Amino acid sequence: SRVGPEGKKAMEVLPPLDHSSIDYPPFRKCFYEEHPEVTGMDWEEMLRYREEELQVQVEGRESCRPIVSFKHATGFSETLLREIVKRGFEAPTPIQAQALPLALAGRDVLGIAQTGSGKTLAFVWPAIVHLMDQAHIKRGDGPIVLILAPTRELASQIYVEATKFSKPHSAKVAAIFGGAGKWEQTKLLKEGVEILVATPGRLLELLKTKATNLKRCTLLVLDEADRMFDLGFEAQLHSVLGQIRPDRQTLLFSATFKRKVEKLANEVLRDPVRVVCGKAGQANEDVKQEVVVLPNDEAKYQWLAHRLPGLVREGKVLVFVSSKQGCEELAGRLMMLLQGDARASCLPPWKVEALHGDKDQHERSLIMRRFKQQQQQQQGEGGKE
């Protein structure tokens, strides 16, 4: 049998639907007209704003001009605009400035943007506009908007953001991923969901059991597409895509533009506009990077152990390890090290935790919550992240 990521047996995929035999109802894609303040901008002035201030490159047929203010996003309802202002957003980020008008205009978008660029809301906000134009879902209907993410953590983050802005519109949002109960997720889907955030594997499992279907899906978002390939979800991803009507609108976001992502974009996007923030694959300018090459694992540990007390004084520390067993072993060694250092130099008793795929979702969520709470407390006391 075929083997998937981490030696697991590959999941059986679903055959694609014969879409020619299904009578899909029409739906509206375009909700956008360029604001007079946008069209009034001189062409050279607009190019300077796009290329120098936003540092965005655009390729595609008749692409929309970038917006400067949220009020230029003419498809947004007053309710959505009020919620954006209420939550402290003052101006669009570069990816939002260019991707929002394109998404609202019904175009397929390929967005290349780094993590932390604001891309999540660049697809969540248009998704809300898109679904609010359609008829209410009924029990047994599948979602109108499907957002696919490679990991549980990312799916959870997207779900939180989508819920915040969907609540004033009374839109139903759900997230499904591995590590949580299938029975509860099945019940939720059968009751009807308008925005579904999912990992490909768990969604495919529930599609096979007919817990839901994708016949009403008219907006598809693929977030962090490069990570989906890195994690071995290619077959599952294509199986899910085969269940969705071909005339949907599709938004694909990725931090890099590797060959497999380019191939996927060519397969799933129709006449897309490509939006690149900065240079594809470049590092975040806010992150300082230093590379130290060491001969073996023990040398790495000694390097880390020597510097860790000082790093802990400065803020929070993330250490990435290549295996689950190595993660647990390193966490144990670091806990002993930091406890000893705390007694010697009066440091607070820092907590060390291991986070990996063998822990269930409840435990993973608790660890992440404690990490965030400690970070917020530390920042409130004047510490640095």
Side-chain angles (χ1 to χ4, degrees):
S1 62
R2 292 188 302 131
V3 176
E6 299 186 8
K8 296 177 182 177
K9 185 177 179 181
M11 183 184 299
E12 182 183 348
V13 298
L14 288 169
L17 293 180
D18 178 9
H19 298 287
S20 64
S21 66
I22 302 174
D23 185 20
Y24 290 114
F27 68 98
R28 181 183 176 194
K29 283 185 180 180
C30 182
F31 305 90
Y32 181 72
E33 290 184 12
E34 286 193 320
H35 193 279
E37 291 182 16
V38 175
T39 55
M41 188 183 296
D42 177 81
W43 184 256
E44 290 190 0
E45 182 185 359
M46 184 279 293
L47 288 178
R48 187 164 52 251
Y49 168 64
R50 176 190 277 169
E51 295 172 6
E52 295 181 10
E53 294 190 39
L54 298 179
Q55 296 186 343
V56 166
Q57 293 85 47
V58 179
E59 299 175 14
R61 178 187 58 83
E62 298 176 5
S63 62
C64 302
R65 298 179 179 212
I67 60 175
V68 179
S69 166
F70 287 119
K71 71 178 181 180
H72 298 156
T74 53
F76 284 178
S77 66
E78 289 298 322
T79 301
L80 182 54
L81 283 171
R82 281 197 302 270
E83 195 66 22
I84 290 171
V85 173
K86 174 184 172 183
R87 295 190 175 275
F89 294 91
E90 298 178 355
T93 65
I95 186 64
Q96 292 168 2
Q98 187 61 74
L100 284 173
L102 290 166
L104 289 169
R107 299 295 302 274
D108 281 12
V109 176
L110 168 60
I112 311 296
Q114 62 198 21
T115 301
S117 61
K119 62 182 173 61
T120 299
L121 295 176
F123 59 74
V124 164
W125 290 333
I128 293 171
V129 174
H130 183 98
L131 74 89
M132 292 305 295
D133 187 65
Q134 300 195 29
H136 289 287
I137 57 170
K138 305 185 296 292
R139 184 178 178 86
D141 279 352
I144 295 170
V145 176
L146 173 63
I147 303 171
L148 290 178
T151 64
R152 299 177 249 195
E153 284 71 29
L154 180 58
S156 296
Q157 292 170 23
I158 296 171
Y159 168 76
V160 169
E161 294 303 316
T163 302
K164 286 179 188 176
F165 291 95
S166 299
K167 191 173 182 180
H169 299 81
S170 301
K172 298 178 181 178
V173 186
I176 60 170
F177 38 74
K182 291 183 188 178
W183 184 87
E184 293 84 355
Q185 292 178 351
T186 298
K187 183 173 181 291
L188 191 63
L189 291 175
K190 288 188 174 180
E191 289 173 354
V193 169
E194 289 167 310
I195 299 179
L196 178 62
V197 187
T199 53
R202 177 51 59 91
L203 176 60
L204 189 56
E205 287 182 85
L206 294 175
L207 286 171
K208 288 170 65 177
T209 62
K210 301 189 184 304
T212 190
N213 63 78
L214 300 177
K215 293 180 181 179
R216 282 207 61 180
C217 179
T218 51
L219 176 59
L220 169 67
V221 180
L222 304 175
D223 194 17
E224 294 199 2
D226 49 348
R227 289 281 291 144
M228 291 192 198
F229 286 110
D230 291 343
L231 294 172
F233 293 138
E234 184 172 2
Q236 297 170 15
L237 180 59
H238 280 95
S239 183
V240 170
L241 297 180
Q243 309 302 306
I244 308 174
R245 56 191 291 175
D247 63 341
R248 66 188 178 255
Q249 182 182 2
T250 306
L251 310 176
L252 188 154
F253 290 87
S254 181
T256 61
F257 197 49
K258 299 175 182 177
R259 188 170 300 173
K260 283 190 175 182
V261 176
E262 183 177 10
K263 183 174 181 289
L264 176 66
N266 291 333
E267 291 173 354
V268 305
L269 301 178
R270 302 175 65 182
D271 188 24
V273 180
R274 177 175 166 180
V275 180
V276 181
C277 288
K279 295 180 180 179
Q282 76 175 19
N284 190 323
E285 292 181 358
D286 296 329
V287 178
K288 179 183 178 182
Q289 299 188 65
E290 297 179 1
V291 178
V292 179
V293 180
L294 297 163
N296 52 51
D297 289 346
E298 186 57 30
K300 292 178 186 178
Y301 175 75
Q302 293 301 330
W303 182 93
L304 179 62
H306 179 70
R307 287 161 180 78
L308 193 57
L311 294 173
V312 169
R313 291 189 187 93
E314 290 293 317
K316 304 184 72 63
V317 179
L318 284 171
V319 182
F320 293 95
V321 185
S322 61
S323 68
K324 299 168 188 175
Q325 181 179 351
C327 184
E328 288 288 351
E329 291 174 354
L330 182 60
R333 293 183 74 178
L334 292 182
M335 178 64 80
M336 294 177 62
L337 174 73
L338 286 179
Q339 286 175 343
D341 192 86
R343 288 192 297 270
S345 58
C346 299
L347 279 174
W350 291 94
K351 179 74 173 175
V352 178
E353 301 208 59
L355 182 65
H356 51 71
D358 276 353
K359 295 180 181 291
D360 63 38
Q361 186 58 38
H362 178 68
E363 188 175 6
R364 289 159 67 107
S365 298
L366 284 177
I367 291 172
M368 290 301 297
R369 191 176 303 123
R370 286 195 291 264
F371 185 86
K372 291 177 181 178
Q373 288 171 346
Q374 186 183 16
Q375 177 181 2
Q376 291 164 357
Q377 179 183 3
Q378 183 180 7
Q379 289 174 333
E381 293 170 354
K384 295 188 292 184
E385 181 178 349

